[in-house]
Amino acid sequence: MQKIKSLMTRQGLRSPQESVHDLSPIESFRIPSKEELRELREEPTDPQAQQEIINSIEEVYFSNDSFDIVKYELERLPPVLSLQELEEYRDKLKQQQAAVSKKVADLILEKQPAYVQELERVTSLQTGLQLAAVICTNGRRHLNIAKEGFTQTSLGLLANQRKRQLLIGLLKSLRTIKTLQRTDVRLSEMLEEEDYPGAIQLCLECQKAASTFKHYSCISELNSKLQDTLEQIEEQLDVALSKICKNFDIGHYTKVQQAYRLLGKTQTAMDQLHMHFTQAIHNTVFQVVLGYVELCAGNTDTKFQKLQYKDLCTHITSDSYIPCLADLCKALWEVMLSYYRTMQWHENHDPDEAAAVSSVSDGSNVIGTEENSFDRSYVKKKLEHGLSRIWQDVQLKVKTYLLGTDLSNFKYDDFIFVLDVISRLMQVGEEFCGSKSEVLQESIRKQSVNYFKTYHRTRLEELRMFLENETWELCPVKSSFSILQLHEFKFMEQSRSPSVSPSKQPASAISTTVTLFEQYCNGGNPFEIQADSKDDETEDVLASNGYESDEQEKSGYQEYDSDSDVPEELKRDYVDEQTGDAPVKSVSRETLRSRKRSDYNLNKVNAPILTNTTLNVIRLVGKYMQMMNILKPIAFDVIHFMSQLFDYYLYAVYTFFGRNDTFESTGLGLSSSRLRTTLNRIQESLIDLEVSADATGTLTAAEERKEKVPSPHLSHLVVLTSGNSLYGLAERVVATESLVFLAEQFEFLQPHLDAVMPAAKKPFLQQFYSQTVSTASELRKPVYWIVAAKAIDYEQMLLLMANVKWDVKEIMSQHNIYVDALLKEFEEFNRRLNEVSKRVRIPLPVSNILWEHCIRLANRTLVEGYANVKKCSNEGRALMQLDFQQFLMKLEKLTDIRPIPDKEFVETYIKAYYLTENDMERWIKEHREYSTKQLTNLVNVCLGSHINKKARQKLLAAIDDIDRPKR
């Protein structure tokens, strides 16, 4: 087929019939003629026979196209030719040729339609190619026309325009580069103006522009220069940030924050800020202390600058300690105020900024908004955590300064000032971060306890000296005197006292509390040393020449009924001696008139009775409370030392005026068990009874003795043995009543002490008040008993009673002379009492106790006198009753005391004479207040009248049984 196709192509498009004639001689040999083909078609053919013929053709005929059949057949001829063989061989070849030709003809006829179709496609393709050739020719012709008439000129114009545009862009770039080259000058100006946000904005814009023109060789150098400038701006920005730590400025800080925000380093700025605050605290305290150290050293020696802060603090002198502490706290206050205002700035600006960002945010900048929110959250947490860190640094610096100097030898006012400054600093700390300032409290507690022990020891020695030199003269004060008028108690007016009702509080105390940071936010300093007005220290509490005025002196006589000028607490002088309670209701005029007769104070206004020593003790208490109010952690130590002041004063008054072993054994219960327990406790814990130190004593004993004070000795100027002065009654009254007044002031201060006392130590305070302070008034009995025992001559009365004959046979109508002698003694006692009252006001409780003691002693003397009687009749007993009734009647005119003390004691003893045997035995067992001698005498006197000897022995045995447990 390929051979046929190639032949057709070479011959052109001709019909198959035409193509047959063009075959080569050899090929025409192979192709049958028309007649042959017709014959072949006409002849019946057997396909199988035809196929066998074709298969019998030698393979060599099918080898390749260049095979020469003629040559092959000629070469096969045998050497000897035979015509018949040749004809047979020729017929065979013809049959083979015919079979092949028929096969070829069949195949041609079979492929005829496909051939025709393919030929038509070839013809169509040829036509299309001819048309394309025509179009290309026309196109080329038209392009030549356009090239010659239009393209060359127009494109030349466009090329020139493009060059122009490129040159304009280049000129603009060159101008921008020129501007960038000059930017450093403007940046320097903006930095000098502290316009950090503008400088950073400009620098970032320049960097952005420089990155646009980075293909220029000159830009690489400029870009490096801009980067250096940006780093320089960051350094200056860091310096500007450090200035915030000492002097916060809103405008300045706003610029700095905006600058850091432009740099995208908000968190870094906050970390740097805290580092600067820490450094500022260290540098500030070091420079302040160094300045004072160099000032005190008096030279410019630089060796101090090389010292550590802790070592530097040890070089501060006592004179410069307080000014340095004040300046130190002022400087630290400035740092903390700056931090406080920094937090305020962020609280005010961050929400505004967040609102502004959220109002303009959309989907394209959600990530940026989240980053800003994270930055604000980080800044807030960092600032909150920084509060305690800053305050801790402040505490440690101040603690180092406090412990660097021994304050034990400071003056009281100086030490109080130190406490006041530290207390104010702790208040600042509490407002700053809610801290309880444990570090400062512990350091100042150590210094305070150390100082206070030394101070208290000195004050106790001074108190002993005052007591030993005290003449117990009345210190004249106004009737309106109150301890709150003393300078030492002025601090109590500033704090809201629990004992003052809210209605009496000043308006400022009720108003909303303003913190120190709010108060001094815009200026001032809470640690400024303000010169306290000396007017506050001038106390107008003393009366002139013992009187407040001539009118008041006269009013003491003319209008005793008025007590409007008497302070409420001073009315506690009028107490019920039996209960010790102040009257609940107001004092009536009748009661006051009765006092006019009974109270020996008509010549002076009803002013408190106290001495200079009492006033000094009260002032000391005020100083102690002032220290305790400033530093509450040492409240227990201070209150303990305050109690020792009261203990020592109580012990001194008892030792000077109340100790008398002779009268302690009377069994009258002059000293209550509570008072004796208190005195024993004071003596064991506070009083040093050893005259000289024991060289062999242990160290512990020596330490204990350091805490004790020698027992005081009464001044030799005080005379207690003169009868004319009622054995020092004036001094005794001043001593005991000043102690009672001191106890009243302690009672007044109890709510204040209880408020600051630690809960664990409150039982000590309660015990101190219940066991010690409340016993002050009980000291009156033993003190005034001594006066009462000596003021009346009881021994003379016993002698006069011994001379009386009691075994009379008839009832007497006239009393005995010993009654008149006794009443005369009482009248003399009353006169001398009036004389003493001209020197010292004698309060009603005192006069009542004196009269009670005297009457009680007189009655017991009467019983003792009656017990000395050897013989007595019924008429004699009646005479005893007559004498006693006469004594009572006259006595009631001298005193207002009702009932008469021990009245029943005498009457019961007299009436016991008339009892029968059985009644007397029971009476003896019930009345153990009588002595054995008195009971025995009663039994002996009754012998013979209505008691026989047997009964007498029985009664004496009963008396002996009662007396046995006492022995």
Side-chain angles (χ1 to χ4, degrees):
M1 288 300 294
Q2 290 179 357
K3 194 180 296 184
I4 294 171
K5 288 179 182 178
S6 63
L7 180 62
M8 290 176 64
T9 302
R10 285 195 303 269
Q11 295 295 325
L13 300 174
R14 286 181 294 177
S15 63
Q17 291 78 8
E18 294 173 348
S19 301
V20 173
H21 300 287
D22 292 334
L23 293 174
S24 62
I26 300 174
E27 290 175 341
S28 63
F29 172 76
R30 296 179 182 173
I31 303 299
S33 64
K34 290 181 180 180
E35 291 79 7
E36 293 175 342
L37 289 173
R38 189 179 298 114
E39 293 176 358
L40 289 172
R41 284 195 299 266
E42 291 177 356
E43 292 180 1
T45 57
D46 184 5
Q48 185 175 1
Q50 290 291 332
Q51 187 63 38
E52 290 178 356
I53 294 171
I54 293 171
N55 291 338
S56 65
I57 299 174
E58 296 181 8
E59 292 294 330
V60 71
Y61 286 95
F62 299 100
S63 61
N64 52 39
D65 293 341
S66 61
F67 177 66
D68 190 353
I69 302 173
V70 177
K71 183 181 179 180
Y72 174 75
E73 290 297 334
L74 291 176
E75 289 178 351
R76 286 188 60 186
L77 291 177
V80 177
L81 297 176
S82 171
L83 180 61
Q84 186 179 358
E85 291 179 359
L86 286 176
E87 285 179 357
E88 289 177 2
Y89 185 67
R90 184 193 67 174
D91 291 339
K92 182 182 179 181
L93 287 177
K94 278 183 179 183
Q95 286 179 356
Q96 290 178 347
Q97 181 184 10
V100 170
S101 296
K102 182 162 180 57
K103 185 70 173 177
V104 170
D106 291 340
L107 291 174
I108 290 172
L109 290 175
E110 184 180 351
K111 299 296 181 180
Q112 179 68 25
Y115 167 75
V116 174
Q117 186 180 359
E118 187 67 25
L119 187 62
E120 288 175 355
R121 288 179 57 195
V122 170
T123 303
S124 176
L125 179 62
Q126 183 179 4
T127 304
L129 290 174
Q130 289 173 353
L131 180 61
V134 173
I135 292 172
C136 288
T137 303
N138 292 335
R140 286 178 179 176
R141 186 177 67 254
H142 287 101
L143 284 174
N144 286 332
I145 295 170
K147 178 180 180 183
E148 293 173 359
F150 174 75
T151 305
Q152 290 179 349
T153 304
S154 299
L155 290 180
L157 290 173
L158 289 174
N160 291 334
Q161 178 64 21
R162 181 172 177 274
K163 287 180 181 179
R164 183 175 178 272
Q165 293 294 335
L166 289 173
L167 290 173
I168 290 173
L170 178 61
L171 180 61
K172 185 178 179 181
S173 298
L174 291 174
R175 286 175 179 169
T176 304
I177 292 171
K178 183 179 180 180
T179 304
L180 292 176
Q181 294 286 359
R182 296 178 178 176
T183 304
D184 57 342
V185 178
R186 178 57 186 153
L187 285 174
S188 300
E189 293 175 355
M190 296 177 80
L191 289 177
E192 289 178 2
E193 297 169 0
E194 295 186 347
D195 185 9
Y196 303 109
I200 291 175
Q201 185 73 32
L202 179 59
C203 193
L204 291 175
E205 289 176 357
C206 290
Q207 280 190 326
K208 185 177 180 181
S211 65
T212 305
F213 303 110
K214 63 183 178 180
H215 50 279
Y216 297 106
S217 59
C218 60
I219 289 297
S220 60
E221 182 181 351
L222 176 63
N223 209 0
S224 177
K225 187 176 181 180
L226 286 174
Q227 187 62 34
D228 294 340
T229 304
L230 191 60
E231 292 177 0
Q232 181 184 355
I233 292 174
E234 287 190 35
E235 291 176 1
Q236 293 196 20
L237 198 58
D238 192 53
V239 174
L241 187 64
S242 66
K243 294 179 181 178
I244 297 294
C245 300
K246 293 185 180 179
N247 187 13
F248 182 87
D249 180 78
I250 294 179
H252 182 76
Y253 188 68
T254 303
K255 290 180 180 179
V256 172
Q257 280 296 320
Q258 289 175 351
Y260 273 111
R261 195 172 291 112
L262 287 172
L263 290 173
K265 295 184 176 181
T266 306
Q267 297 183 23
T268 305
M270 198 48 53
D271 295 338
Q272 287 293 107
L273 181 64
H274 281 80
M275 185 186 72
H276 286 312
F277 267 107
T278 303
Q279 191 66 27
I281 292 173
H282 174 75
N283 292 342
T284 298
V285 296
F286 188 85
Q287 290 301 324
V288 170
V289 176
L290 178 63
Y292 275 93
V293 170
E294 290 180 344
L295 181 66
C296 297
N299 55 41
T300 57
D301 193 351
T302 59
K303 68 176 182 179
F304 295 117
Q305 296 181 355
K306 299 177 182 178
L307 293 177
Q308 294 289 330
Y309 173 71
K310 183 177 181 180
D311 299 327
L312 196 63
C313 291
T314 60
H315 289 79
I316 291 289
T317 62
S318 300
D319 295 335
S320 61
Y321 186 86
I322 289 179
C324 181
L325 176 62
D327 286 348
L328 198 65
C329 291
K330 282 193 286 186
L332 291 172
W333 161 260
E334 294 296 338
V335 175
M336 288 188 285
L337 179 62
S338 295
Y339 195 89
Y340 171 80
R341 296 186 67 187
T342 301
M343 290 194 68
Q344 271 194 328
W345 186 93
H346 283 280
E347 288 175 2
N348 296 334
H349 287 72
D350 286 350
D352 296 341
E353 180 190 346
V357 171
S358 62
S359 63
V360 300
S361 64
D362 54 20
S364 61
N365 59 357
V366 171
I367 297 176
T369 304
E370 291 178 354
E371 289 179 356
N372 290 333
S373 176
F374 176 77
D375 286 345
R376 287 191 297 273
S377 176
Y378 178 84
V379 168
K380 182 179 179 182
K381 289 181 180 179
K382 189 74 175 178
L383 286 171
E384 289 175 352
H385 293 163
L387 284 171
S388 56
R389 177 182 168 187
I390 296 293
W391 177 240
Q392 187 69 11
D393 289 343
V394 170
Q395 283 192 93
L396 292 174
K397 296 299 181 185
V398 177
K399 173 190 175 183
T400 303
Y401 181 82
L402 283 175
L403 300 180
T405 304
D406 184 11
L407 307 181
S408 59
N409 296 319
F410 270 39
K411 294 180 180 178
Y412 174 80
D413 291 336
D414 292 342
F415 189 75
I416 284 295
F417 184 84
V418 172
L419 290 185
D420 193 29
V421 170
I422 300 302
S423 176
R424 179 63 61 92
L425 186 61
M426 288 192 287
Q427 182 184 352
V428 169
E430 186 169 359
E431 294 178 2
F432 186 67
C433 62
S435 170
K436 297 301 181 183
S437 307
E438 290 83 0
V439 174
L440 273 181
Q441 285 193 18
E442 180 60 23
S443 57
I444 198 62
R445 191 193 68 81
K446 288 180 181 178
Q447 286 283 34
S448 299
V449 171
N450 183 34
Y451 172 82
F452 208 69
K453 283 183 178 179
T454 305
Y455 180 80
H456 178 64
R457 176 69 188 178
T458 307
R459 299 290 81 78
L460 279 178
E461 290 292 341
E462 287 182 359
L463 179 58
R464 181 172 71 90
M465 181 187 69
F466 278 130
L467 289 170
E468 290 183 344
N469 290 279
E470 178 63 66
T471 57
W472 303 101
E473 293 290 336
L474 185 66
C475 177
V477 295
K478 291 184 177 181
S479 61
S480 59
F481 170 74
S482 169
I483 60 172
L484 296 179
Q485 298 168 355
L486 298 177
H487 172 68
E488 288 78 6
F489 290 90
K490 290 293 181 185
F491 74 93
M492 291 178 63
E493 297 179 357
Q494 301 170 1
S495 61
R496 185 167 185 171
S497 168
S499 63
V500 180
S501 64
S503 61
K504 296 182 181 179
Q505 288 292 325
S508 59
I510 305 175
S511 62
T512 304
T513 305
V514 179
T515 66
L516 293 174
F517 287 97
E518 294 172 349
Q519 184 178 354
Y520 295 98
C521 186
N522 297 322
N525 196 301
F527 297 99
E528 289 287 349
I529 301 179
Q530 300 176 352
D532 294 334
S533 175
K534 294 297 179 184
D535 295 339
D536 292 340
E537 297 183 10
T538 57
E539 305 156 343
D540 186 19
V541 296
L542 298 178
S544 56
N545 297 324
Y547 305 103
E548 296 190 44
S549 65
D550 293 339
E551 288 77 8
Q552 288 181 346
E553 181 182 0
K554 293 176 183 177
S555 69
Y557 296 97
Q558 297 173 359
E559 190 58 44
Y560 189 76
D561 292 346
S562 175
D563 66 340
S564 60
D565 62 336
V566 180
E568 195 64 34
E569 63 269 17
L570 297 180
K571 292 178 183 178
R572 287 180 57 83
D573 282 344
Y574 310 105
V575 297
D576 187 347
E577 188 60 24
Q578 300 300 323
T579 63
D581 295 329
V584 176
K585 298 182 180 180
S586 59
V587 183
S588 64
R589 288 179 175 269
E590 286 71 15
T591 306
L592 288 172
R593 289 195 184 97
S594 69
R595 289 177 191 164
K596 186 175 181 181
R597 298 192 305 271
S598 305
D599 200 358
Y600 296 87
N601 65 343
L602 299 185
N603 61 333
K604 284 192 174 62
V605 180
N606 190 16
I609 297 176
L610 59 143
T611 66
N612 286 325
T613 303
T614 315
L615 209 54
N616 284 329
V617 172
I618 292 174
R619 290 184 187 276
L620 271 180
V621 169
K623 289 181 178 181
Y624 283 25
M625 287 190 64
Q626 191 175 355
M627 184 179 295
M628 177 178 61
N629 187 62
I630 295 174
L631 193 63
K632 293 180 175 59
I634 65 166
F636 171 70
D637 300 288
V638 176
I639 293 177
H640 175 64
F641 291 147
M642 281 173 57
S643 69
Q644 288 187 347
L645 294 176
F646 187 86
D647 287 347
Y648 197 69
Y649 195 91
L650 171 68
Y651 187 82
V653 172
Y654 171 75
T655 304
F656 293 166
F657 304 105
R659 175 178 287 173
N660 193 312
D661 297 334
T662 302
F663 301 106
E664 285 293 330
S665 61
T666 57
L668 297 178
L670 300 178
S671 298
S672 65
S673 60
R674 185 173 61 168
L675 178 59
R676 288 194 301 272
T677 302
T678 299
L679 291 170
N680 290 334
R681 177 188 61 78
I682 295 172
Q683 183 169 298
E684 291 174 3
S685 62
L686 188 61
I687 306 302
D688 183 8
L689 299 176
E690 299 181 24
V691 179
S692 59
D694 186 4
T696 61
T698 62
L699 182 62
T700 305
E703 289 294 328
E704 289 179 356
R705 290 198 61 206
K706 280 185 179 180
E707 303 294 329
K708 296 184 177 182
V709 190
S711 179
H713 301 286
L714 184 64
S715 171
H716 66 280
L717 298 176
V718 180
V719 179
L720 302 179
T721 56
S722 172
N724 294 328
S725 64
L726 274 180
Y727 305 95
L729 178 61
E731 289 80 3
R732 294 175 189 272
V733 169
V734 170
T736 53
E737 298 314 301
S738 67
L739 175 64
V740 171
F741 178 78
L742 185 61
E744 290 173 355
Q745 305 318 304
F746 268 83
E747 293 282 358
F748 171 72
L749 296 173
Q750 184 177 3
H752 302 273
L753 301 180
D754 189 68
V756 297
M757 191 71 160
K761 301 292 184 180
K762 285 190 178 182
F764 167 82
L765 186 65
Q766 295 169 358
Q767 185 178 11
F768 168 67
Y769 272 93
S770 62
Q771 299 295 328
T772 305
V773 176
S774 61
T775 60
S777 59
E778 297 179 9
L779 203 60
R780 286 169 170 162
K781 284 189 176 182
V783 171
Y784 298 131
W785 175 268
I786 297 174
V787 175
K790 296 180 178 180
I792 308 293
D793 191 354
Y794 303 104
E795 295 296 329
Q796 179 65 27
M797 188 173 67
L798 286 175
L799 293 175
L800 292 175
M801 292 179 71
N803 295 328
V804 175
K805 187 176 180 182
W806 297 104
D807 55 348
V808 294
K809 300 300 182 181
E810 59 184 22
I811 297 176
M812 306 295 292
S813 61
Q814 181 64 31
H815 61 271
N816 288 302
I817 59 172
Y818 75 87
V819 176
D820 295 329
L822 181 59
L823 290 170
K824 189 174 292 184
E825 287 282 338
F826 272 101
E827 290 173 355
E828 179 62 20
F829 169 73
N830 192 29
R831 184 189 65 79
R832 284 187 289 177
L833 204 57
N834 277 294
E835 291 295 324
V836 172
S837 69
K838 294 178 181 179
R839 289 178 53 200
V840 178
R841 176 177 66 87
I842 301 179
L844 180 63
V846 176
S847 63
N848 284 345
I849 288 177
L850 281 168
W851 278 101
E852 180 184 349
H853 282 340
C854 289
I855 295 170
R856 195 182 299 277
L857 283 170
N859 286 337
R860 290 179 178 271
T861 304
L862 288 174
V863 172
E864 188 66 22
Y866 296 151
N868 291 333
V869 174
K870 303 298 182 183
K871 293 181 180 181
C872 181
S873 60
N874 289 338
E875 292 79 6
R877 286 292 174 184
L879 181 58
M880 289 180 184
Q881 287 182 330
L882 175 65
D883 292 345
F884 186 61
Q885 291 301 321
Q886 178 67 21
F887 170 68
L888 291 177
M889 183 179 65
K890 296 291 184 181
L891 183 63
E892 287 176 352
K893 295 179 181 180
L894 294 176
T895 180
D896 292 333
I897 294 181
R898 300 293 185 274
I900 298 297
D902 281 354
K903 175 182 175 183
E904 292 79 5
F905 185 77
V906 180
E907 290 178 342
T908 302
Y909 188 79
I910 295 174
K911 293 175 181 178
Y913 177 81
Y914 304 106
L915 297 174
T916 61
E917 174 187 345
N918 294 332
D919 291 339
M920 182 170 289
E921 184 178 0
R922 186 170 60 255
W923 183 88
I924 288 173
K925 292 179 180 179
E926 291 175 355
H927 292 78
R928 300 190 178 189
E929 65 269 22
Y930 298 101
S931 66
T932 303
K933 173 193 171 185
Q934 293 167 350
L935 295 175
T936 302
N937 179 266
L938 180 63
V939 173
N940 290 332
V941 170
C942 293
L943 179 66
S945 60
H946 57 280
I947 293 178
N948 55 31
K949 289 184 179 181
K950 183 178 180 181
R952 172 177 174 269
Q953 294 298 329
K954 181 181 178 182
L955 292 173
L956 290 177
I959 294 171
D960 189 59
D961 291 340
I962 295 173
D963 185 54
R964 189 176 294 113
K966 297 180 182 179
R967 287 178 286 183

